[in-house]
Amino acid sequence: QVEVVESGGDLVQAGGSLRLSCTASGLTFGIYNMGWFRQLPGKEREGVACISPRGSATKYADSVKGRFTISRDNTKKTLSLQMNSLHPDDTAMYYCAAGRSGTALRPELFDDWGQGTQVTVSS
């Protein structure tokens, strides 16, 4: 049984930093594309960043380029998202996801999802 669990969400002031973490069990972590997505209530889920199975390729949403960094440790089966220079528009529920269908910021390519971790950025 696949289990994806996010952690690290918090309330932070604008300009601050947070590091999100994700662990995935029940799958062969090193062969999965991994991604971070975010969603506000009533809005569609938005791709934030994704990374290829070996970490050689990454993609970012334009809104987070230069501020967020995605990384993975296949030996520990963990995914991270370092978020710097946060601003209120980054407030959302952040989800970690695993998929086999490609390294792209498209939720439909990811099969296994966590429950999310809340990030709130105050102005």
Side-chain angles (χ1 to χ4, degrees):
Q1 182 178 352
V2 177
E3 185 176 29
V4 178
V5 180
E6 306 94 339
S7 62
D10 206 344
L11 170 64
V12 64
Q13 287 190 332
S17 298
L18 276 178
R19 187 176 183 86
L20 304 184
S21 296
C22 169
T23 60
S25 59
L27 53 76
T28 306
F29 186 81
I31 64 172
Y32 277 75
N33 297 284
M34 299 296 297
W36 287 100
F37 296 80
R38 64 189 182 186
Q39 188 172 23
L40 285 169
K43 299 252 180 116
E44 290 188 357
R45 196 162 290 189
E46 171 193 24
V48 175
C50 61
I51 188 167
S52 59
R54 296 188 178 183
S56 58
T58 57
K59 292 184 180 177
Y60 295 90
D62 288 343
S63 59
V64 307
K65 281 180 182 175
R67 301 189 297 123
F68 291 10
T69 303
I70 189 171
S71 60
R72 65 189 296 162
D73 185 334
N74 286 351
T75 61
K76 297 181 179 178
K77 298 185 178 182
T78 59
L79 177 74
S80 298
L81 185 69
Q82 178 66 42
M83 305 187 294
N84 299 327
S85 302
L86 285 162
H87 50 66
D89 287 346
D90 295 316
T91 295
M93 184 71 77
Y94 282 71
Y95 296 91
C96 173
R100 296 289 313 278
S101 300
T103 309
L105 298 174
R106 293 165 54 190
E108 66 269 25
L109 298 182
F110 291 80
D111 305 305
D112 299 295
W113 294 80
Q115 295 299 307
T117 186
Q118 179 66 39
V119 172
T120 302
V121 185
S122 63
S123 56

